[in-house]
mmCIF file of all heavy atoms in Angstrom:
data_model
loop_
_atom_site.group_PDB
_atom_site.id
_atom_site.type_symbol
_atom_site.label_atom_id
_atom_site.label_comp_id
_atom_site.label_asym_id
_atom_site.label_seq_id
_atom_site.Cartn_x
_atom_site.Cartn_y
_atom_site.Cartn_z
ATOM 1 N N ALA A 634 138.222 20.946 102.548
ATOM 2 C CA ALA A 634 138.685 21.849 101.484
ATOM 3 C C ALA A 634 137.498 22.496 100.772
ATOM 4 O O ALA A 634 137.502 23.706 100.505
ATOM 5 C CB ALA A 634 139.544 21.075 100.483
ATOM 6 N N ARG A 635 136.473 21.701 100.497
ATOM 7 C CA ARG A 635 135.318 22.253 99.786
ATOM 8 C C ARG A 635 134.649 23.346 100.625
ATOM 9 O O ARG A 635 134.264 24.399 100.123
ATOM 10 C CB ARG A 635 134.309 21.130 99.491
ATOM 11 C CG ARG A 635 133.185 21.631 98.595
ATOM 12 C CD ARG A 635 132.115 20.611 98.381
ATOM 13 N NE ARG A 635 132.623 19.364 97.818
ATOM 14 C CZ ARG A 635 131.884 18.266 97.702
ATOM 15 N NH1 ARG A 635 130.636 18.258 98.117
ATOM 16 N NH2 ARG A 635 132.394 17.181 97.193
ATOM 17 N N SER A 636 134.547 23.086 101.922
ATOM 18 C CA SER A 636 133.900 24.066 102.796
ATOM 19 C C SER A 636 134.745 25.350 102.889
ATOM 20 O O SER A 636 134.206 26.455 102.894
ATOM 21 C CB SER A 636 133.687 23.447 104.175
ATOM 22 O OG SER A 636 133.192 24.403 105.047
ATOM 23 N N HIS A 637 136.088 25.209 102.951
ATOM 24 C CA HIS A 637 136.960 26.410 102.956
ATOM 25 C C HIS A 637 136.666 27.254 101.719
ATOM 26 O O HIS A 637 136.536 28.473 101.791
ATOM 27 C CB HIS A 637 138.438 26.012 102.923
ATOM 28 C CG HIS A 637 138.980 25.518 104.236
ATOM 29 N ND1 HIS A 637 138.764 26.165 105.432
ATOM 30 C CD2 HIS A 637 139.754 24.438 104.539
ATOM 31 C CE1 HIS A 637 139.373 25.505 106.413
ATOM 32 N NE2 HIS A 637 139.976 24.451 105.901
ATOM 33 N N LEU A 638 136.600 26.559 100.590
ATOM 34 C CA LEU A 638 136.404 27.245 99.309
ATOM 35 C C LEU A 638 135.073 28.011 99.286
ATOM 36 O O LEU A 638 134.988 29.140 98.815
ATOM 37 C CB LEU A 638 136.422 26.181 98.198
ATOM 38 C CG LEU A 638 136.719 26.616 96.779
ATOM 39 C CD1 LEU A 638 137.995 27.430 96.715
ATOM 40 C CD2 LEU A 638 136.849 25.373 95.876
ATOM 41 N N GLU A 639 134.046 27.365 99.847
ATOM 42 C CA GLU A 639 132.726 28.011 99.873
ATOM 43 C C GLU A 639 132.698 29.230 100.784
ATOM 44 O O GLU A 639 132.000 30.202 100.514
ATOM 45 C CB GLU A 639 131.665 27.006 100.359
ATOM 46 C CG GLU A 639 131.277 26.000 99.295
ATOM 47 C CD GLU A 639 130.501 24.811 99.880
ATOM 48 O OE1 GLU A 639 130.214 24.806 101.096
ATOM 49 O OE2 GLU A 639 130.217 23.888 99.116
ATOM 50 N N LYS A 640 133.469 29.167 101.878
ATOM 51 C CA LYS A 640 133.296 30.194 102.919
ATOM 52 C C LYS A 640 134.338 31.308 102.930
ATOM 53 O O LYS A 640 134.100 32.366 103.511
ATOM 54 C CB LYS A 640 133.333 29.522 104.284
ATOM 55 C CG LYS A 640 132.119 28.683 104.571
ATOM 56 C CD LYS A 640 132.300 28.074 105.939
ATOM 57 C CE LYS A 640 131.207 27.120 106.329
ATOM 58 N NZ LYS A 640 131.680 26.232 107.382
ATOM 59 N N ILE A 641 135.509 31.073 102.346
ATOM 60 C CA ILE A 641 136.624 32.002 102.571
ATOM 61 C C ILE A 641 136.300 33.451 102.152
ATOM 62 O O ILE A 641 136.651 34.403 102.852
ATOM 63 C CB ILE A 641 137.939 31.469 101.903
ATOM 64 C CG1 ILE A 641 139.136 32.338 102.272
ATOM 65 C CG2 ILE A 641 137.828 31.337 100.418
ATOM 66 C CD1 ILE A 641 139.626 32.157 103.675
ATOM 67 N N GLY A 642 135.580 33.585 101.027
ATOM 68 C CA GLY A 642 135.249 34.943 100.552
ATOM 69 C C GLY A 642 134.343 35.667 101.535
ATOM 70 O O GLY A 642 134.556 36.850 101.849
ATOM 71 N N VAL A 643 133.369 34.947 102.066
ATOM 72 C CA VAL A 643 132.422 35.558 103.015
ATOM 73 C C VAL A 643 133.137 35.917 104.318
ATOM 74 O O VAL A 643 132.914 36.992 104.900
ATOM 75 C CB VAL A 643 131.272 34.556 103.325
ATOM 76 C CG1 VAL A 643 130.284 35.141 104.314
ATOM 77 C CG2 VAL A 643 130.585 34.151 102.048
ATOM 78 N N ILE A 644 134.001 35.026 104.777
ATOM 79 C CA ILE A 644 134.720 35.284 106.038
ATOM 80 C C ILE A 644 135.625 36.509 105.879
ATOM 81 O O ILE A 644 135.760 37.323 106.802
ATOM 82 C CB ILE A 644 135.547 34.029 106.472
ATOM 83 C CG1 ILE A 644 134.620 32.827 106.639
ATOM 84 C CG2 ILE A 644 136.312 34.279 107.761
ATOM 85 C CD1 ILE A 644 133.552 32.987 107.707
ATOM 86 N N LEU A 645 136.216 36.657 104.706
ATOM 87 C CA LEU A 645 137.030 37.856 104.444
ATOM 88 C C LEU A 645 136.168 39.115 104.559
ATOM 89 O O LEU A 645 136.545 40.091 105.216
ATOM 90 C CB LEU A 645 137.661 37.773 103.043
ATOM 91 C CG LEU A 645 138.358 39.050 102.580
ATOM 92 C CD1 LEU A 645 139.663 39.272 103.336
ATOM 93 C CD2 LEU A 645 138.636 39.015 101.076
ATOM 94 N N GLU A 646 134.995 39.071 103.919
ATOM 95 C CA GLU A 646 134.072 40.231 103.982
ATOM 96 C C GLU A 646 133.716 40.565 105.422
ATOM 97 O O GLU A 646 133.733 41.731 105.830
ATOM 98 C CB GLU A 646 132.766 39.900 103.221
ATOM 99 C CG GLU A 646 132.913 39.825 101.714
ATOM 100 C CD GLU A 646 133.237 41.191 101.120
ATOM 101 O OE1 GLU A 646 132.714 42.177 101.642
ATOM 102 O OE2 GLU A 646 134.034 41.248 100.160
ATOM 103 N N ILE A 647 133.384 39.518 106.196
ATOM 104 C CA ILE A 647 132.965 39.748 107.594
ATOM 105 C C ILE A 647 134.127 40.356 108.396
ATOM 106 O O ILE A 647 133.943 41.282 109.185
ATOM 107 C CB ILE A 647 132.476 38.430 108.254
ATOM 108 C CG1 ILE A 647 131.230 37.925 107.523
ATOM 109 C CG2 ILE A 647 132.185 38.624 109.734
ATOM 110 C CD1 ILE A 647 130.750 36.551 107.960
ATOM 111 N N ALA A 648 135.340 39.833 108.158
ATOM 112 C CA ALA A 648 136.506 40.344 108.904
ATOM 113 C C ALA A 648 136.729 41.823 108.584
ATOM 114 O O ALA A 648 136.978 42.634 109.484
ATOM 115 C CB ALA A 648 137.744 39.517 108.570
#
Side-chain angles (χ1 to χ4, degrees):
R635 187 185 303 171
S636 174
H637 283 313
L638 201 52
E639 284 166 3
K640 289 179 184 159
I641 187 74
V643 179
I644 302 298
L645 171 72
E646 289 293 324
I647 296 173

